[in-house]
Amino acid sequence: MKTVDFNCHPLGDAGANVVAAALSKNKSVTGLDLRESSISERGLAIIAKVVLEKENIKVLSVGGNPFGRRGATAIAEMLPENNHLIILDLSDCEIGCKGAVVMAEALKKNSTLTSLDLRLNGIEERGGKALAKVMKDVTALTTLNLHGNDIPDRERVAIQNAILANKKAAADS
């Protein structure tokens, strides 16, 4: 796996644009690490477009960028059409409940994502309910990290049970 690693480099949106342009010409990169790179929702929208177009990219890590709900929306708009991304890190991106709801809707339409990191995002009951509601239909997802969010136990248990069922189904196949 060839990963481009810009973790903790202050790229900003201009840097995200440069990375996207370089990736559009590359066929060997399989992972992109842009954690804590000062990317806003604008830069993330550019990255999401390239990730959608480049089937070789399997891993996208953008945690620690405070792009909020709008950034989550940019990713969510890409997910239904994406059939190659398997790992997505959106940890500590301030997506909140609205971003979690948008992500939940997108997850229903994606069949390849197996790991999603949403920890430390200010997700509360509404976002937890949205995720719990769709998890029974999101069978590919076998890892969902929600630590550091204020999701009520009822929703957490429903999500955990769905993830366990997905892991069992994956092991059986």
Side-chain angles (χ1 to χ4, degrees), residues 39-49 60 62-63 65-80 85 88-107 113 116-118 121-123 127 131:
I39 297 172
S40 77
E41 67 272 5
R42 288 182 200 91
L44 189 61
I46 294 164
I47 294 295
K49 182 178 179 195
L60 177 61
V62 291
N65 289 292
F67 47 70
R69 174 189 50 85
R70 290 188 178 137
T73 300
I75 293 291
E77 289 173 352
M78 173 265 299
L79 278 180
L85 193 66
L88 178 58
D89 175 3
L90 298 176
S91 62
D92 198 17
C93 293
E94 302 175 9
I95 70 169
C97 287
K98 290 181 180 178
V101 169
V102 169
M103 288 301 298
E105 287 301 310
L107 287 171
L113 198 65
L116 177 60
D117 190 341
L118 293 176
N121 267 300
I123 302 170
L131 289 165

Side-chain angles (χ1 to χ4, degrees), residues 39-163:
I39 297 172
S40 77
E41 67 272 5
R42 288 182 200 91
L44 189 61
I46 294 164
I47 294 295
K49 182 178 179 195
V50 169
V51 169
L52 176 60
E53 294 169 355
K54 303 301 289 181
E55 293 185 9
N56 49 297
I57 298 178
K58 310 289 185 198
V59 178
L60 177 61
S61 298
V62 291
N65 289 292
F67 47 70
R69 174 189 50 85
R70 290 188 178 137
T73 300
I75 293 291
E77 289 173 352
M78 173 265 299
L79 278 180
E81 297 177 45
N82 187 299
N83 61 3
H84 53 274
L85 193 66
I86 57 173
I87 299 172
L88 178 58
D89 175 3
L90 298 176
S91 62
D92 198 17
C93 293
E94 302 175 9
I95 70 169
C97 287
K98 290 181 180 178
V101 169
V102 169
M103 288 301 298
E105 287 301 310
L107 287 171
K108 288 193 306 191
K109 301 170 190 162
N110 179 282
S111 62
T112 57
L113 198 65
T114 61
S115 178
L116 177 60
D117 190 341
L118 293 176
R119 69 194 141 106
L120 302 171
N121 267 300
I123 302 170
E124 297 175 341
E125 184 174 5
R126 182 172 168 235
K129 282 183 178 182
L131 289 165
K133 183 177 178 182
V134 303
M135 285 311 299
K136 64 180 180 288
D137 299 320
V138 183
T139 57
L141 200 63
T142 57
T143 304
L144 177 58
N145 189 342
L146 292 168
H147 294 288
N149 292 295
D150 194 18
I151 298 172
D153 289 342
R154 180 177 172 178
E155 283 73 29
R156 277 192 189 275
V157 169
I159 292 166
Q160 289 170 347
N161 288 340
I163 292 292

Side-chain angles (χ1 to χ4, degrees), residues 1-4 23 25-31 54 56-57:
M1 180 182 284
K2 293 183 181 180
T3 299
V4 174
L23 284 174
K25 300 172 185 162
N26 186 295
K27 294 182 179 172
S28 63
V29 171
T30 57
K54 303 301 289 181
N56 49 297
I57 298 178

